[in-house]
Amino acid sequence: NSLNIFQALGYAGDLTILGKRNNITLIRQDNGLRKVYKISLNDSELLEKPYYNIKNNDIIIVDPNYSKVKSAGFIGSPSSIASIASIVLSLTLLIINRP
């Protein structure tokens, strides 16, 4: 049966608030050639595009937004920066105050 991109995303668990709706990548293999499409769900012209209907073996990639990327990294959180700074300060004081 035919399946469109909105239904495919819905079956996959839908987009959370952390997914970019204007930068979705669809990878499709046609006649041995791999094609990559950039999709914006905010664009009404999507309904007329050839990649609106999903085919077998299509891959849909939803990029995370900035807040998700920042929260996933160790260096990005304020508590991790404070921990690193305290370790560096402690090591510096230990090296300077050697008898």
Side-chain angles (χ1 to χ4, degrees):
N1 294 340
S2 113
L3 182 72
N4 66 45
I5 191 162
F6 297 110
Q7 292 169 328
L9 290 170
Y11 287 136
D14 205 4
L15 294 177
T16 65
I17 195 165
L18 301 174
K20 285 186 180 178
R21 281 148 177 79
N22 60 350
N23 193 14
I24 294 176
T25 305
L26 176 92
I27 302 171
R28 176 175 287 171
Q29 191 138 0
D30 277 333
N31 300 325
L33 296 174
R34 184 171 294 147
K35 296 181 182 179
V36 178
Y37 301 100
K38 293 292 185 180
I39 299 171
S40 173
L41 297 180
N42 300 330
D43 188 8
S44 63
E45 293 179 3
L46 171 65
L47 303 174
E48 289 130 21
K49 301 289 183 180
Y51 46 79
Y52 175 71
N53 288 317
I54 302 300
K55 295 182 179 179
N56 285 340
N57 300 322
D58 279 356
I59 300 170
I60 301 172
I61 301 170
V62 178
D63 292 335
N65 64 12
Y66 177 74
S67 63
K68 177 64 175 174
V69 171
K70 187 176 178 186
S71 69
F74 178 73
I75 300 299
S77 68
S79 61
S80 63
I81 293 173
S83 298
I84 292 171
S86 67
I87 290 171
V88 169
L89 181 62
S90 299
L91 289 174
T92 305
L93 290 175
L94 285 172
I95 293 171
I96 290 174
N97 292 329
R98 269 192 190 181

